[in-house]
Amino acid sequence: MLRAYFQETLIEAGLDEAGRGCLAGPVYAAAVILPRSFAHPLLNDSKQLTEKERYELRPVIEAEAIAWAVGFLEPEQIDEINILRAAFRSMHLAVEKLSVVPELLLVDGNRFTPYAFIPHQCIVQGDAQYASIAAASVLAKTYRDDHMNRLHEDFPHYGWGKNKGYATREHQEALNLHGPCVHHRRSFRLDYSVPDAAAALGE
């Protein structure tokens, strides 16, 4: 069962990102401040939920959260500052957009670039432990999926409607055939045409 809060006095915002390991598209992050009384039977780490469950949860989170916001960085920004820093920066952008200023940030993972004047707590697998981080994971994932679905309309040959920019076999084969487009991250390895590509992908 998810924990409602990390401590009892400060206003907490859960932070999580989506799309860090993708070959294409932005990295998204969300920040969510939930009431301490918030509970929902489906809420969990977004990776443990079905697509239908994530989209069922999103309007509930948005309606009942004290505050929520989403931020993202595009591929050219990812290439410029690297994906780790881009993930942290997208989290900062989400925090900046919150209508309520949090007093503590609960960050999924083991590292974070400190946000000015707000202390943070890194929590490994936090999206499976704390409700606010799980809620942030759902928003980040669904908003990024929406974005990749829109990009899919103009670039259908990469299969982003299904793979959302991750390095699936379908995506790799499309890259080998068509090459990268403007939405691919050029700092990532995109050429998988070598004979041992399958081995490199763990297949």
Side-chain angles (χ1 to χ4, degrees), residues 162-184:
K162 292 182 179 179
N163 63 55
K164 301 302 188 284
Y166 284 92
T168 62
R169 180 183 294 276
E170 174 190 33
H171 195 180
Q172 297 296 348
E173 290 175 349
L175 271 167
N176 293 340
L177 181 62
H178 302 285
C181 74
V182 66
H183 298 293
H184 281 97

Side-chain angles (χ1 to χ4, degrees), residues 37-49:
S37 60
F38 180 87
H40 193 287
L42 288 180
L43 186 60
N44 200 351
D45 168 13
S46 65
K47 296 184 291 297
Q48 304 302 318
L49 303 173

